[in-house]
Amino acid sequence: MYHIGVEAVFLVANRDNLLGGKRKQRGLTRVWVYWLKTILRGKMSSDRQWMYKRFMNGILIQEFLNGLETFINFACSQSRWMDGDKIKCPCNNRKCQNMSFRDVNPVRYHVAKYGFVPNYFVWIYQGESTMAVDSDQNEGSESYVCSEEPSNTYHRMVNEAAGADFNMDDMDEPPNPEAQKFYDMLKAADNELWHGCKTHSQLSLVARLMSMKSENHMSEKLFDQVTKLMKEIVPDNNLVTDNFYSTKKLLRGMGLPVEKIDCCFNGCMLYWGADSDLISCKFCDHPRFKKPPRVAEKRQKTKVAYKKMYYFPLIPRLQRLYASNATAHDMRWHSEHEVEQGVMRHPSDSLAWKHFNQIHPDFAAESRNVRLGLCTDGFQPFGQSGQQYSTWPVIVTPYNLPPWLCMKEQYMFMSILVPGPKNPKDKLDVFLQPLIAELNHLWDVGVNTYDISKKQNFMMRAALMWTVSDFPAYSMLSGWSTAGRLACPYCMDKSDAFTLKFSGKQSWFDNHRKFLPANHPFRRNRTAFRKNKTVTTVPPVVRSGDDILTEIQSLGLKKVTEMDATRTNGPICRTCGWRKHSIFWDLPYWRSNLIRHNLDVMHIEKNVFDNVFNTVLNVDGKTKDTFKSRQELNDYCRRPELKRNEATGKYPKACYTLDKKARQTLCEWVKILKFPDGYVSNMGRCVDMKKLKLFGMKSHDCHVFMQRLIPIAFREILPLNVWKVLTELSLFFKELTATTIKTDDMVRLENDIPLILCKLERIFPPSFFDSMEHLPVHLAYEARIAGPVQYRWMYPFERYLRKLKLNVRNKAKVEGSICNAYLVEEASSFCSYYFEDHVNTKHRNVPRNDDGRVLVEDENEDKLSIFKHPGRAFGRAKKRCMTDEEYKAARSYVLLNCEEVAPYIEYVYPKWLQMAHKGRGRGRGGRDGGNGRGHGRDSSSILRPSVQSVPSPTHPIQTSPSPSPSLTLSPSPLSEIRPPPIVPPPHTSDPSPSSTPHSTPADAVPPFTEPSTSSSIVGSSAGSAKLVIEIVDGSFFPSHKCSAIITKSFKKMVDSKAFSWKKVSKSTKKTYFDDFQNQCSWAPRFNGQIKSLWESKAAERYSDFVHKLKIVRDRPDFIPEDEWLEWLQYWEEPEVKKKSEIASKNRRTEVAGPGTGMSRHTGGSKSTIEHARELARELGRDPNFYEIFRKMHVKKADGQFVDNKSKMIADLVEERVTAASQPVEGSMDLQPIDYDPIYLETIGGQKKQRVYGIGSKGVAFCSSSRASSSSVTAAVDEAVEQKDQQITLLKDEMQQMKEVNNEMKEMKNAMQQQMTNMQSQLAALMQHMGHRVPTEHPPVGQPTTDPPANDEDDDLGLDD
């Protein structure tokens, strides 16, 4: 029936072609083609039903596997639709769905696991045409192809370049010169190079030669020599062109237009439009044309202008995107792709794009309308050491394209080439006039364009979304000055920048506290930032385009293209930051754009890195920590430790700089670093071991070092507070430049970056903070509004500028060389879309390490998939043993990137890890045990599913804009990064009391050591976990965990009108206590005390709980709305308000006298006892009162005391300790000191059973630990009691472990059954894929071998 329908269509079509004229024939043929499409699609969908029939009885059926292999073979045969060896994955996983390229084996696995996307019967994303596909192709039947396009590929190229109006059949009269170009090319496409040549036509050879010239930057001389040699080699009477001129002439139809526009020698104006007939500049009266020499004055007919610019019209270049099937469909990707809420992968997902659609719905209604970005930057074609010559190209790029094509070189259109040799500066607007006029025409009117993918004409319009440039060019484009105190284009006149006293430079120091929340303590700090200054101002509001344009117009600023602009704008510029009226305001939609000019993350990140790195390494001439900086430092800040030593006349070393030994260690470490191939340049070449610095680092090297290496390189050689803030800055840039970002993450970064900059201000001097250190505060906002930064930074444009620089072959005619090469490249790039599949071009190059070998399915079938990737060896093969570090890196890479291991990692390994680590306490390093720095010697922890990847120095993770090695491993938490051993510098901070010569002896067993069961979690599953608690000195231990459990129970149920603990009903209190019992366990001897202690603790926590509800005033989910109104009314009662004011006043009381501030501490929710035990473990002995006081009152971030009172007490204690430790007469030894009586004497002893700084519980605890040991019986009784307690607790724990063991057995049986079902499915799939099927998976929850004792023995059951 199918064949009858197709034959009928062709018969009717042929009959109608015999009856009418050509126009009627074309119309009727389109109708029959449409019918034929419908028949083909119906046939295709019926024959590909196997795509959606995967399983039978839970097992993949053979028909699906065979069809999947057919799909893979077809996709791999369409090289134009591939990315190297990768094809688009059509699985139904939301991360794929024909949007991402993957290797063949992952595509097989994904499709088998997730299935195909719905209704994907025509494989268009793999290169299958809706008209030229036959579902019986695999059975050898003939494919029915119906197309109006010629079968010759180069015929199709010419027809698509000529456009829809070109018709080679209508020849009633001779063609015009423009059309004759295409007829000549069609003729060349049919001409054999010589008689009998079947491989190439004249046109195919010419197109290939032009492509080779463009990609390899061949000179015209070399091109002529090659073509002459070819003409000599081939047989006589051939059609091979013998020079570049004849070759370019034959391909002239492929070229796009360029206009040469005369301009003023001084860049004042263009002789264009209404001024095209002028012979001198209307601004400076400079003549337009050069005066010819006397000898040639009579013979010279053409006048030569002093200067001319090249303008490449934008409209024909945009139309060509819709003229080729290679790009026309992708131009609609922005409106057809799936958008995930809150996730941005492309500018079309951003708020700026959506806002533009809302403001201009008529423009957004046509998905083929083009969104553009504009970039400009200058470069010196002769290098830094040659003649000073500045050339400024203006580049326009479309954003409609998908991520894998957007910002690529072939889609960057050089629109304007501003001539040198001088920088145009503010006069750049003069050269932008033709482009702005064309953009206005594309917005107001549009241009009729033929879309070959839909076979229809439409009115194409275009809009400019934003500009991209470095910071100096930002001023040239926007008109806002980016130099001086008002350099920030967001803060504008609200900037707090100031001029440094001795350096004479602008500083943005202390310019970021205003971005913090209004109640942040940094705002009130008078010592850590600028002296005696608090901040109450709010951050500047981002101004709209309408507000800015209104201000510019009210100031009376003129465009530089208007008369008297320089005279008018000059006085105005001295009073504000505006320098001109930008020409971009002529675009009618420009004022409605949320982002008009982008800050360049690339240059900002590099400048921030340079400042940080050069200052830390104290590089001469580049460090910000200079002599003048130290002179003025204490004029602005209070940093007495950095004051000049009057005796020596020198300044002390700062905590943020490295000494010589540390710098040498760092440079040696960088010199031996190894990276994946193509990830980054060889940084070892940038190390100068004589001067101990890094030099010649490119922007991308700084990018990698900033985001990947700073947290590792500085970990062991900088103080903790300096390392932490630099690491936070590194992670900020890492998250900011991710290829996929989330709106919530950008909001978080927007809140985090002011705090990070404030922390930097507490460490580095004011001279460190130039405008580049300030601009990061606005980067997260731009990312939240405009989307991922890789579409808005300078990396792709900088690479493109380097390519333009290489095109300068004639240094006497810089712009002419660039223009000629650009036009050739445009033509050859379009031709390359139609080359044969075996031809490699820059648009479809194979990976650099691919040896070109075709893999055979049955070859090395016993190898893992990770070892089947194509590649080539580096140098001669040799054998050696791997080092331990190399072995661990290779093993981890295989485990994390190998598909065959995925089921083991996902199902078996977590249970094995739980059993291996069962019963371990929590270490210093994190929640999962270990030795405080990583996970001890158990390397299995690197495979935890919850690990967040942070790179190690030998395996950095890929980041844009580098290539994409699939390396994704390394130690995870920030506190667990372990770099190669770097010798730290001598500790220069003040010694703590515990390290002084008169410290307490440390040879005794610490009495504060925490019992082994005091904070352990019983059980391994979440459902059976209980917190083991005890009572120490009349209080819960650990108190902060008990408090958290009690508070959580309040959120489950709250009584109506229970405004205080007294009003909570007895039944509700019983419910709270039962919940507490379900989550905690204790020894039987504590039964009598638990209830009363819980009652007092619950009353305390409930009061705090109600107080927080009162402050927030936001109804929680656990309180009904009607009851919440009663709560609000209660808080508004006069008596309640009065009590609240009294309590608030008491909390603010300065108990130590006026000026000392409120008493605060850093203990958090932990009790003094818990802090004392932690301190005992750190010191290895009993801590004294003063050490506990310092731990509870000194901030970890900066080492400062929390309030004035605690600082006064510490100073008094230090003075008394110094006085008491002085040697007696006749002796040189310091006297031993007992800190406790000195501390008690300083604070005035105990008051109401309490001691300031450590509280009543701490006093009791410390007193008991220092009790006299004269009574041996008491000590023995205490030891016996402790043993009894431990035995009781162990019994309880054993009983709970038995219950857990029974649950684990049940889980084991269930998992074994699940694994059995999975093995059968995986076996069928892996056998079909050519893998060796594993015989048996290890049992769930049980390792194949004993848990490894160390890194060297742990191979997780895998071979080398």
Side-chain angles (χ1 to χ4, degrees):
M1 187 68 188
Y2 163 71
H3 294 288
I4 295 175
V6 173
E7 292 172 1
V9 169
F10 277 109
L11 287 174
V12 176
N14 292 332
R15 182 199 65 187
D16 289 340
N17 287 341
L18 298 175
L19 297 178
K22 294 179 179 178
R23 183 173 300 178
K24 182 178 179 181
Q25 292 173 21
R26 289 195 298 269
L28 292 173
T29 303
R30 290 192 183 100
V31 175
W32 301 124
V33 167
Y34 174 77
W35 285 6
L36 180 58
K37 285 184 184 180
T38 306
I39 295 174
L40 286 172
R41 287 171 179 165
K43 176 71 164 57
M44 211 175 301
S45 61
S46 62
D47 288 353
R48 287 183 176 171
Q49 292 300 323
W50 57 266
M51 295 174 62
Y52 304 99
K53 295 179 181 179
R54 282 189 295 158
F55 296 106
M56 180 177 292
N57 299 327
I59 300 176
L60 291 170
I61 61 177
Q62 190 62 37
E63 182 185 2
F64 177 81
L65 295 175
N66 294 338
L68 177 58
E69 200 61 32
T70 300
F71 169 81
I72 294 294
N73 292 335
F74 173 79
C76 292
S77 67
Q78 305 295 316
S79 58
R80 285 177 52 198
W81 296 82
M82 299 172 64
D83 183 8
D85 287 335
K86 298 180 180 180
I87 61 177
K88 286 187 178 179
C89 181
C91 76
N92 203 28
N93 183 9
R94 62 182 178 85
K95 294 183 178 180
C96 296
Q97 295 183 349
N98 285 311
M99 291 188 294
S100 59
F101 286 94
R102 298 185 184 275
D103 291 325
V104 171
N105 285 335
V107 171
R108 284 195 182 97
Y109 179 76
H110 278 206
V111 175
K113 182 176 181 180
Y114 302 109
F116 285 92
V117 293
N119 299 319
Y120 190 54
F121 295 107
V122 181
W123 303 331
I124 57 174
Y125 292 101
Q126 284 72 30
E128 185 177 57
S129 170
T130 58
M131 300 176 60
V133 177
D134 188 284
S135 57
D136 297 330
Q137 187 173 2
N138 297 314
E139 301 176 9
S141 61
E142 182 180 354
S143 299
Y144 285 91
V145 180
C146 180
S147 175
E148 294 179 286
E149 301 167 351
S151 59
N152 189 312
T153 304
Y154 291 94
H155 277 220
R156 182 161 56 90
M157 178 185 75
V158 175
N159 279 278
E160 291 182 357
D165 296 333
F166 178 71
N167 188 357
M168 58 184 177
D169 295 328
D170 290 334
M171 295 285 291
D172 296 336
E173 58 184 18
N176 57 53
E178 189 67 27
Q180 186 62 46
K181 302 175 184 178
F182 298 103
Y183 286 110
D184 293 342
M185 286 192 292
L186 287 173
K187 182 179 178 181
D190 294 329
N191 289 339
E192 296 180 348
L193 282 176
W194 63 87
H195 182 68
C197 179
K198 302 300 182 184
T199 56
H200 276 285
S201 65
Q202 186 183 24
L203 182 62
S204 67
L205 176 64
V206 167
R208 290 279 295 276
L209 286 173
M210 291 293 279
S211 178
M212 292 167 57
K213 177 188 179 342
S214 173
E215 292 186 17
N216 300 286
H217 301 282
M218 292 172 60
S219 64
E220 292 186 15
K221 182 178 180 181
L222 176 59
F223 188 91
D224 292 346
Q225 292 174 352
V226 171
T227 53
K228 288 179 180 178
L229 178 62
M230 291 177 60
K231 194 168 186 66
E232 295 173 2
I233 294 174
V234 300
D236 296 336
N237 299 324
N238 60 74
L239 299 179
V240 177
T241 55
D242 58 356
N243 54 59
F244 177 69
Y245 176 77
S246 58
T247 304
K248 187 170 68 171
K249 183 178 180 181
L250 186 58
L251 272 182
R252 64 189 184 279
M254 292 289 114
L256 293 171
V258 59
E259 299 177 13
K260 299 178 184 179
I261 303 175
D262 294 343
C263 50
C264 175
F265 180 79
N266 298 316
C268 304
M269 62 168 290
L270 297 181
Y271 297 101
W272 171 82
D275 299 329
S276 59
D277 296 330
L278 296 180
I279 59 173
S280 63
C281 178
K282 61 183 180 182
F283 292 92
C284 65
D285 291 331
H286 192 283
R288 174 179 181 178
F289 301 109
K290 297 179 180 179
K291 186 176 181 181
R294 285 185 179 179
V295 179
E297 188 172 359
K298 296 181 179 180
R299 292 179 298 174
Q300 185 173 346
K301 298 181 180 180
T302 304
K303 296 181 180 180
V304 179
Y306 275 96
K307 185 183 289 188
K308 58 186 174 182
M309 64 165 280
Y310 291 87
Y311 178 64
F312 306 85
L314 183 61
I315 289 176
R317 286 162 175 82
L318 295 180
Q319 287 178 319
R320 180 158 286 189
L321 292 175
Y322 288 101
S324 173
N325 277 312
T327 55
H329 181 270
D330 290 325
M331 288 294 288
R332 302 193 305 274
W333 181 90
H334 68 95
S335 65
E336 297 175 354
H337 76 288
E338 181 180 353
V339 180
E340 185 177 351
Q341 186 67 28
V343 177
M344 292 181 283
R345 299 181 176 89
H346 187 269
S348 60
D349 304 331
S350 67
L351 180 61
W353 192 292
K354 297 173 183 176
H355 173 78
F356 192 90
N357 289 348
Q358 294 174 357
I359 300 297
H360 308 287
D362 56 334
F363 182 88
E366 175 54 78
S367 63
R368 290 171 291 189
N369 287 337
V370 186
R371 320 288 179 107
L372 301 170
L374 181 144
C375 171
T376 187
D377 196 8
F379 68 92
Q380 295 189 21
F382 309 127
Q384 297 292 338
S385 59
Q387 174 189 353
Q388 293 301 309
Y389 195 100
S390 181
T391 300
W392 284 73
V394 177
I395 303 166
V396 176
T397 184
Y399 283 119
N400 294 39
L401 296 165
W404 54 90
L405 296 178
C406 193
M407 308 296 288
K408 297 300 182 183
E409 182 182 295
Q410 62 267 33
Y411 303 110
M412 290 186 181
F413 306 132
M414 185 171 63
S415 181
I416 296 172
L417 191 57
V418 180
K422 295 182 180 179
N423 186 334
K425 296 186 178 179
D426 288 341
K427 295 181 180 180
L428 179 65
D429 287 1
V430 172
F431 303 95
L432 291 174
Q433 291 178 86
L435 178 61
I436 297 298
E438 193 171 13
L439 287 174
N440 276 325
H441 176 75
L442 282 170
W443 175 261
D444 297 331
V445 182
V447 59
N448 191 32
T449 304
Y450 181 70
D451 181 3
I452 195 170
S453 64
K454 288 192 171 184
K455 308 295 182 185
Q456 59 184 221
N457 290 301
F458 73 102
M459 190 61 67
M460 181 184 68
R461 297 170 64 196
L464 183 65
M465 297 294 295
W466 49 60
T467 69
V468 181
S469 62
D470 58 12
F471 207 45
Y474 190 107
S475 173
M476 298 163 61
L477 294 170
S478 67
W480 178 266
S481 174
T482 55
R485 190 181 66 84
L486 304 178
C488 178
Y490 281 93
C491 296
M492 292 188 169
D493 55 345
K494 301 295 190 299
S495 173
D496 296 328
F498 59 95
T499 305
L500 295 174
K501 181 177 180 181
F502 294 103
S503 304
K505 297 181 180 179
Q506 303 299 322
S507 174
W508 270 257
F509 178 76
D510 198 16
N511 201 19
H512 309 102
R513 283 195 284 171
K514 61 187 177 185
F515 293 93
L516 296 173
N519 59 348
H520 199 282
F522 278 4
R523 281 177 169 264
R524 302 185 298 273
N525 195 315
R526 296 175 177 267
T527 58
F529 302 93
R530 294 193 71 174
K531 290 193 298 187
N532 304 321
K533 179 183 177 182
T534 60
V535 176
T536 57
T537 57
V538 296
V541 179
V542 179
R543 302 180 64 183
S544 67
D546 290 321
D547 291 341
I548 294 176
L549 182 58
T550 301
E551 179 184 359
I552 293 173
Q553 292 173 344
S554 64
L555 290 172
L557 288 166
K558 291 185 176 182
K559 292 183 289 188
V560 295
T561 57
E562 297 176 351
M563 299 297 296
D564 295 332
T566 303
R567 187 184 307 170
T568 304
N569 295 344
I572 301 175
C573 294
R574 301 188 188 98
T575 61
C576 65
W578 292 108
R579 303 180 63 173
K580 65 178 180 180
H581 186 293
S582 174
I583 195 173
F584 288 100
W585 295 112
D586 290 350
L587 299 173
Y589 50 84
W590 192 246
R591 66 178 67 186
S592 65
N593 290 358
L594 295 183
I595 298 287
R596 290 168 292 280
H597 307 280
N598 286 279
L599 296 173
D600 177 34
V601 178
M602 184 195 88
H603 285 96
I604 293 174
E605 184 183 35
K606 183 184 186 303
N607 282 281
V608 170
F609 170 79
D610 285 341
N611 281 357
V612 169
F613 200 77
N614 292 328
T615 302
V616 171
L617 265 67
N618 200 19
V619 179
D620 290 339
K622 294 186 177 181
T623 179
K624 297 294 184 178
D625 188 24
T626 61
F627 179 81
K628 291 182 179 179
S629 173
R630 291 294 186 92
Q631 275 186 305
E632 64 202 8
L633 176 61
N634 279 282
D635 292 341
Y636 302 106
C637 317
R638 288 182 181 175
R639 299 185 187 174
E641 69 277 6
L642 297 180
K643 283 186 176 180
R644 186 176 184 177
N645 189 328
E646 299 299 336
T648 62
K650 296 181 179 180
Y651 289 99
K653 173 185 170 295
C655 65
Y656 49 80
T657 59
L658 303 178
D659 58 13
K660 184 176 180 180
K661 186 176 181 180
R663 281 184 283 150
Q664 183 176 359
T665 305
L666 175 63
C667 290
E668 290 173 351
W669 179 73
V670 174
K671 197 172 183 67
I672 63 173
L673 275 179
K674 301 293 183 183
F675 297 93
D677 180 58
Y679 183 77
V680 70
S681 66
N682 186 359
M683 286 190 183
R685 298 176 183 174
C686 302
V687 178
D688 186 346
M689 292 303 299
K690 292 183 179 180
K691 297 183 179 180
L692 298 180
K693 67 176 185 178
L694 271 66
F695 67 95
M697 293 179 67
K698 301 299 183 183
S699 297
H700 186 254
D701 300 330
C702 299
H703 169 77
V704 172
F705 207 113
M706 182 74 188
Q707 298 190 13
R708 303 296 178 176
L709 300 183
I710 275 185
I712 302 170
F714 293 153
R715 174 66 190 269
E716 300 293 339
I717 58 181
L718 279 178
L720 185 62
N721 63 319
V722 181
W723 173 82
K724 278 187 175 180
V725 66
L726 293 182
T727 300
E728 290 175 2
L729 184 65
S730 170
L731 296 179
F732 166 79
F733 278 108
K734 178 183 174 183
E735 290 189 66
L736 179 72
T737 57
T739 55
T740 299
I741 60 177
K742 296 183 178 179
T743 304
D744 294 341
D745 291 341
M746 294 303 103
V747 172
R748 175 175 53 80
L749 291 182
E750 202 172 345
N751 296 328
D752 288 348
I753 186 58
L755 183 59
I756 295 173
L757 295 176
C758 287
K759 291 179 180 178
L760 286 171
E761 290 172 345
R762 294 163 63 94
I763 298 172
F764 290 93
S767 58
F768 179 84
F769 298 92
D770 55 22
S771 59
M772 288 294 111
E773 270 61 42
H774 167 72
L775 292 178
V777 79
H778 303 296
L779 295 181
Y781 164 79
E782 286 195 351
R784 177 170 62 86
I785 298 299
V789 301
Q790 67 264 24
Y791 302 96
R792 299 178 293 106
W793 62 6
M794 288 292 293
Y795 274 113
F797 299 105
E798 292 283 359
R799 295 191 182 106
Y800 187 74
L801 291 181
R802 169 160 179 79
K803 183 184 132 184
L804 294 181
K805 183 176 179 179
L806 294 176
N807 288 334
V808 180
R809 314 298 296 187
N810 185 352
K811 295 187 177 181
K813 303 291 183 182
V814 174
E815 289 78 18
S817 296
I818 296 175
C819 175
N820 185 42
Y822 177 70
L823 294 175
V824 171
E825 182 189 351
E826 277 189 324
S828 62
S829 179
F830 184 79
C831 294
S832 66
Y833 295 139
Y834 304 91
F835 288 167
E836 293 78 2
D837 293 338
H838 67 276
V839 179
N840 289 331
T841 66
K842 62 183 177 182
H843 305 317
R844 52 186 184 189
N845 276 336
V846 296
R848 55 177 290 178
N849 292 323
D850 190 352
D851 59 356
R853 179 170 56 92
V854 178
L855 295 177
V856 182
E857 287 295 326
D858 297 334
E859 180 184 2
N860 298 325
E861 61 179 7
D862 57 334
K863 285 187 177 181
L864 295 174
S865 61
I866 200 170
F867 299 116
K868 291 185 178 181
H869 297 294
R872 59 182 176 87
F874 288 96
R876 182 180 177 184
K878 57 183 179 181
K879 294 183 179 180
R880 68 173 177 85
C881 295
M882 299 174 67
T883 64
D884 294 339
E885 293 295 327
E886 290 173 335
Y887 172 73
K888 287 189 290 185
R891 179 199 60 203
S892 302
Y893 180 83
V894 171
L895 291 176
L896 292 174
N897 294 275
C898 187
E899 299 172 16
E900 290 85 348
V901 188
Y904 177 82
I905 299 297
E906 184 175 359
Y907 298 103
V908 181
Y909 182 76
K911 298 302 177 184
W912 178 88
L913 191 63
Q914 282 185 349
M915 296 299 295
H917 291 267
K918 185 176 180 180
R920 295 191 182 184
R922 295 183 179 179
R924 294 170 52 200
R927 296 180 178 270
D928 299 292
N931 60 359
R933 298 280 306 279
H935 300 274
R937 297 190 59 81
D938 185 5
S939 65
S940 60
S941 59
I942 62 174
L943 292 176
R944 289 178 299 155
S946 61
V947 163
Q948 175 186 359
S949 297
V950 176
S952 65
T954 52
H955 333 71
I957 304 172
Q958 167 63 16
T959 182
S960 175
S962 303
S964 303
S966 57
L967 199 53
T968 55
L969 73 113
S970 63
S972 124
L974 192 57
S975 61
E976 300 174 2
I977 301 176
R978 302 193 66 180
I982 297 180
V983 181
H987 192 65
T988 57
S989 60
D990 295 336
S992 63
S994 60
S995 61
T996 56
H998 41 266
S999 298
T1000 312
D1003 54 353
V1005 177
F1008 295 111
T1009 304
E1010 184 177 332
S1012 60
T1013 59
S1014 62
S1015 63
S1016 61
I1017 300 296
V1018 179
S1020 59
S1021 62
S1024 60
K1026 281 192 176 183
L1027 176 70
V1028 179
I1029 62 174
E1030 58 180 314
I1031 298 177
V1032 178
D1033 293 317
S1035 179
F1036 285 133
F1037 185 89
S1039 64
H1040 66 287
K1041 296 179 181 178
C1042 294
S1043 299
I1045 293 174
I1046 292 173
T1047 304
K1048 286 181 180 179
S1049 64
F1050 299 153
K1051 298 179 180 180
K1052 299 178 182 178
M1053 180 181 67
V1054 176
D1055 277 354
S1056 174
K1057 299 183 180 181
F1059 310 124
S1060 65
W1061 182 248
K1062 293 181 180 179
K1063 296 184 179 181
V1064 179
S1065 64
K1066 292 183 178 180
S1067 60
T1068 303
K1069 290 181 179 179
K1070 183 178 182 305
T1071 302
Y1072 292 158
F1073 184 70
D1074 292 342
D1075 186 60
F1076 180 77
Q1077 282 183 307
N1078 293 333
Q1079 300 186 54
C1080 303
S1081 63
W1082 53 82
R1085 68 180 185 278
F1086 295 137
N1087 287 339
Q1089 307 173 53
I1090 289 291
K1091 185 63 183 294
S1092 60
L1093 280 178
W1094 175 87
E1095 182 76 23
S1096 60
K1097 176 65 74 172
E1100 174 188 334
R1101 301 312 305 162
Y1102 193 83
S1103 176
D1104 186 56
F1105 170 74
V1106 173
H1107 179 68
K1108 290 181 179 178
L1109 290 179
K1110 180 182 176 183
I1111 293 176
V1112 176
R1113 296 294 178 103
D1114 188 10
R1115 184 182 69 84
D1117 296 335
F1118 50 83
I1119 299 181
E1121 189 170 354
D1122 54 344
E1123 295 182 7
W1124 179 247
L1125 295 176
E1126 297 178 358
W1127 285 70
L1128 296 177
Q1129 293 173 1
Y1130 173 77
W1131 288 328
E1132 295 298 327
E1133 294 179 1
E1135 294 181 2
V1136 176
K1137 279 190 172 182
K1138 185 176 180 180
K1139 290 181 180 180
S1140 177
E1141 291 174 359
I1142 293 173
S1144 178
K1145 183 178 180 181
N1146 292 338
R1147 284 194 297 270
R1148 294 194 299 268
T1149 302
E1150 298 180 343
V1151 295
T1156 59
M1158 295 182 293
S1159 297
R1160 297 192 292 266
H1161 62 81
T1162 62
S1165 59
K1166 292 184 180 179
S1167 64
T1168 308
I1169 299 173
E1170 293 176 79
H1171 283 288
R1173 286 182 170 176
E1174 291 178 0
L1175 196 57
R1177 288 195 298 271
E1178 296 176 5
L1179 301 176
R1181 59 173 176 78
D1182 295 352
N1184 54 53
F1185 287 167
Y1186 182 56
E1187 289 169 335
I1188 299 174
F1189 167 77
R1190 286 184 64 89
K1191 181 175 178 62
M1192 301 278 288
H1193 292 80
V1194 175
K1195 302 176 185 178
K1196 295 181 180 179
D1198 54 7
Q1200 301 291 328
F1201 284 92
V1202 295
D1203 54 18
N1204 293 335
K1205 180 180 179 182
S1206 58
K1207 188 176 186 305
M1208 290 166 44
I1209 291 175
D1211 293 340
L1212 289 174
V1213 172
E1214 293 291 348
E1215 291 178 4
R1216 295 184 179 185
V1217 167
T1218 303
S1221 63
Q1222 297 299 318
V1224 298
E1225 295 184 3
S1227 173
M1228 299 296 294
D1229 298 332
L1230 296 175
Q1231 297 297 311
I1233 297 300
D1234 187 357
Y1235 272 84
D1236 291 351
I1238 292 178
Y1239 178 77
L1240 291 173
E1241 180 184 357
T1242 302
I1243 53 92
Q1246 296 189 25
K1247 297 179 181 179
K1248 297 182 180 180
Q1249 299 301 318
R1250 300 178 66 88
V1251 173
Y1252 173 80
I1254 58 177
S1256 59
K1257 302 296 182 184
V1259 172
F1261 190 79
C1262 297
S1263 300
S1264 64
S1265 67
R1266 292 174 173 76
S1268 174
S1269 58
S1270 59
S1271 176
V1272 179
T1273 304
V1276 172
D1277 291 342
E1278 182 179 359
V1280 171
E1281 183 180 358
Q1282 290 181 356
K1283 293 297 182 183
D1284 291 340
Q1285 295 174 3
Q1286 294 179 7
I1287 291 172
T1288 304
L1289 290 173
L1290 287 173
K1291 287 181 179 179
D1292 295 341
E1293 186 177 3
M1294 285 295 295
Q1295 180 62 31
Q1296 294 172 351
M1297 290 181 67
K1298 288 180 181 179
E1299 298 176 0
V1300 172
N1301 189 32
N1302 294 334
E1303 293 181 3
M1304 289 296 296
K1305 287 181 179 179
E1306 296 177 1
M1307 292 175 59
K1308 174 184 175 182
N1309 295 333
M1311 287 295 297
Q1312 283 180 337
Q1313 182 63 35
Q1314 186 177 0
M1315 286 298 299
T1316 302
N1317 296 336
M1318 290 188 60
Q1319 283 176 354
S1320 60
Q1321 297 181 22
L1322 286 173
L1325 176 60
M1326 294 174 67
Q1327 184 174 8
H1328 178 74
M1329 292 165 56
H1331 297 302
R1332 183 176 61 184
V1333 181
T1335 56
E1336 183 179 0
H1337 282 283
V1340 177
Q1342 178 180 345
T1344 55
T1345 60
D1346 293 334
N1350 53 46
D1351 288 342
E1352 289 77 5
D1353 297 332
D1354 177 21
D1355 62 0
L1356 298 179
L1358 294 177
D1359 296 334
D1360 293 345

